[in-house]
Amino acid sequence: QQQLGHEVAGYRGFLNKNLVWIPNATPFGVSSLPQVRVSLGWLLEPDKWVDVAFQLLAGVQNYPVRSALVVLIILFALVARRRALQRLEWMAPKIGKVNHDRFRYSVSALFITVILIIPSVLIVAGLGWLLIRSGAPPFVWAVGNATLQVTVFFGIMQTARYLLIPNGLVRDHMRWDTHAVDCFGRNLRWATLLLVFFALLFGITDWQLEENHRDSLGRIASMAGLFSLLWFSHVLFHPGFGAFTHSPH
């Protein structure tokens, strides 16, 4: 069944790429609401998420060495987090001063950024990998594939967030405008949560053989994600309070 799912997904991707303007679903409207209710019931069915939890436990038991290695890397990154932030704070007063600034400080800030994003990104990637191991039920397999698909985007958003932290690479080393950095950083928090959530929801429905879920709940997730992205762009580029508005200071 998983092999069939792969073939269907590949064929669907081929059609979406080459037959862009050919409608493949009925228009979304009020008549679609009953199917949305059905799809929500399907998504929130407790037994399906119990299967997800059991698959995670089974994955850890079947791959104990890899799981332990990932946990150790995450723990190392979490332990190093405090010291890494202290290092950024120590370097900050030296940046931009001829007698004290060094290029290695910027390289060190970049390396610290990688350390800071490792735990969250590795957790997401590890969960997705465990969920797609052999024997996973269709719903669990869909959740795993959707999680893996979201990992790259989540990693990019997390990288952007940590580049903008106080004493970070963008704020102190690249000397970006403080107002712009604050605006980007403040809005990236909610944008990351919403966009990742809607992308994950769309991915779960898209990996199902039953297209009704994708055409109802999946479409809502897609539209909500696009609206979130548009609102994020509106906030950033607003001429009155956006990131590129000159700081009153």
Side-chain angles (χ1 to χ4, degrees):
Q1 192 170 15
Q2 291 183 6
Q3 184 178 359
L4 177 60
H6 279 297
E7 293 178 358
V8 171
Y11 184 66
R12 182 186 299 161
F14 173 80
L15 292 179
N16 291 338
K17 180 179 179 180
N18 294 279
L19 303 176
V20 179
W21 302 111
I22 297 180
N24 58 358
T26 58
F28 187 84
V30 177
S31 59
S32 304
L33 295 181
Q35 179 56 44
V36 172
R37 187 180 69 252
V38 172
S39 295
L40 278 174
W42 162 82
L43 179 70
L44 300 177
E45 188 176 332
D47 289 344
K48 287 183 167 53
W49 293 101
V50 170
D51 289 340
V52 171
F54 275 114
Q55 182 65 26
L56 288 175
L57 292 176
V60 173
Q61 293 174 352
N62 294 332
Y63 302 93
V65 177
R66 298 181 188 181
S67 300
L69 179 61
V70 171
V71 171
L72 287 176
I73 294 174
I74 293 174
L75 290 177
F76 170 78
L78 290 174
V79 171
R81 179 187 180 90
R82 182 177 179 182
R83 186 171 181 179
L85 292 174
Q86 291 175 343
R87 174 73 176 176
L88 285 178
E89 186 177 359
W90 176 81
M91 292 188 297
K94 304 177 185 297
I95 303 302
K97 296 182 179 180
V98 177
N99 295 331
H100 299 90
D101 197 358
R102 299 290 185 274
F103 176 72
R104 68 173 181 270
Y105 292 160
S106 296
V107 176
S108 178
L110 180 61
F111 180 70
I112 288 172
T113 302
V114 174
I115 292 178
L116 294 175
I117 69 173
I118 281 177
S120 57
V121 175
L122 200 55
I123 287 173
V124 174
L127 292 176
W129 184 83
L130 289 173
L131 290 175
I132 63 171
R133 294 302 91 193
S134 59
F139 180 81
V140 176
W141 184 75
V143 173
N145 276 286
T147 303
L148 285 178
Q149 286 183 334
V150 167
T151 300
V152 175
F153 174 72
F154 178 65
I156 293 173
M157 297 294 282
Q158 286 293 86
T159 301
R161 282 188 59 201
Y162 282 108
L163 285 173
L164 299 170
I165 62 174
N167 303 320
L169 189 64
V170 169
R171 185 187 295 267
D172 284 9
H173 296 256
M174 296 183 178
R175 299 290 182 177
W176 277 29
D177 178 73
T178 302
H179 173 72
V181 173
D182 289 339
C183 185
F184 266 103
R186 182 172 60 252
N187 289 286
L188 269 175
R189 295 187 185 97
W190 65 261
T192 299
L193 290 174
L194 286 180
L195 292 174
V196 168
F197 172 76
F198 291 130
L200 183 62
L201 182 57
F202 175 79
I204 293 174
T205 61
D206 192 47
W207 280 98
Q208 297 297 318
L209 296 179
E210 178 56 61
E211 294 188 354
N212 288 334
H213 299 312
R214 183 198 65 184
D215 293 340
S216 56
L217 190 59
R219 269 203 252 184
I220 289 180
S222 178
M223 290 186 291
L226 289 175
F227 178 79
S228 301
L229 185 59
L230 286 174
W231 184 254
F232 178 66
S233 301
H234 165 74
V235 173
L236 290 184
F237 296 103
H238 193 281
F241 52 80
F244 300 101
T245 303
H246 292 294
S247 173
H249 303 294

